[in-house]
Amino acid sequence: MRVLGVDPGSRYTGYGVVELREGRLCRIASGRVEAFRAEGLPQRLLVIYQELSQVIQTHQPLACSLEKIFHSVNPQSSLILGHARGAAMLACAEAGLEVFEYSPTEIKNAIVGQGRASKGQVAAMVTILLNLQGQKLTEDEADALAAGICHAHSASLGQIKRKG
């Protein structure tokens, strides 16, 4: 099972492709789309869409795990984040990927075992789970890999439940 995890943002969108092979997780690719250089929101959304489309074409994931919007104090920020999520969803939909959405709390709980874990705790567990000790991950990249791991675990659990 190969999953694309996405941590959407209008300036930086993290992505991580993980694969579950014989019960073991491995990172296939990860990085971040740096849309902040583009002039204006429409151009940033285009960059997000195009670069995620390229990641999908290159690595051929079977599903996408996307972080849901958390409710922020600033409605304008939430709206802009929603646009970035839409660009990511469009890239996935165009490629025929099923999109699964998880709240930040669900992702943290799946990775760390605690829904209020810090970003540092999530990054540390992602590093351990994917055996990436000594490698530097950006926050966006670590969060995207966490989203991918969350879905890989959820999907494999679903398969076990269906077999049982």
Side-chain angles (χ1 to χ4, degrees):
M1 170 192 308
R2 190 173 282 196
V3 179
L4 168 65
V6 178
D7 178 38
S10 65
R11 296 174 52 77
Y12 299 103
T13 291
Y15 67 86
V17 181
V18 296
E19 187 169 271
L20 188 59
R21 289 185 207 149
E22 299 171 6
R24 299 188 83 159
L25 283 165
C26 63
R27 175 180 68 170
I28 303 300
S30 62
R32 70 180 185 180
V33 176
E34 295 186 350
F36 72 93
R37 291 187 176 107
E39 289 266 337
L41 182 60
Q43 289 74 26
R44 290 197 313 256
L45 297 176
L46 180 61
V47 169
I48 293 166
Y49 165 78
Q50 288 175 332
E51 291 195 29
L52 287 180
S53 293
Q54 184 61 48
V55 169
I56 292 167
Q57 183 179 6
T58 301
H59 299 290
Q60 300 292 303
L62 300 175
C64 175
S65 177
L66 185 63
E67 188 174 293
K68 286 181 184 176
I69 292 179
F70 57 91
H71 298 288
S72 94
V73 175
N74 185 341
Q76 184 66 21
S77 296
S78 293
L79 183 60
I80 291 170
L81 179 58
H83 290 314
R85 289 181 79 251
M89 280 184 175
L90 179 59
C92 293
E94 183 179 62
L97 300 184
E98 191 169 359
V99 176
F100 298 87
E101 298 179 73
Y102 298 93
S103 71
T105 302
E106 289 172 311
I107 293 170
K108 289 174 181 182
N109 197 41
I111 303 304
V112 181
Q114 210 261 3
R116 294 191 182 269
S118 70
K119 284 190 171 284
Q121 289 172 311
V122 171
M125 280 305 295
V126 164
T127 299
I128 291 167
L129 291 169
L130 296 176
N131 196 25
L132 301 174
Q133 287 80 355
Q135 296 183 37
K136 180 111 169 90
L137 299 173
T138 67
E139 276 187 10
D140 310 295
E141 193 176 7
D143 288 350
L145 287 165
I149 293 167
C150 176
H151 180 68
H153 283 168
S154 295
S156 64
L157 214 84
Q159 288 174 349
I160 291 168
K161 286 180 182 177
R162 282 192 296 279
K163 286 179 184 176

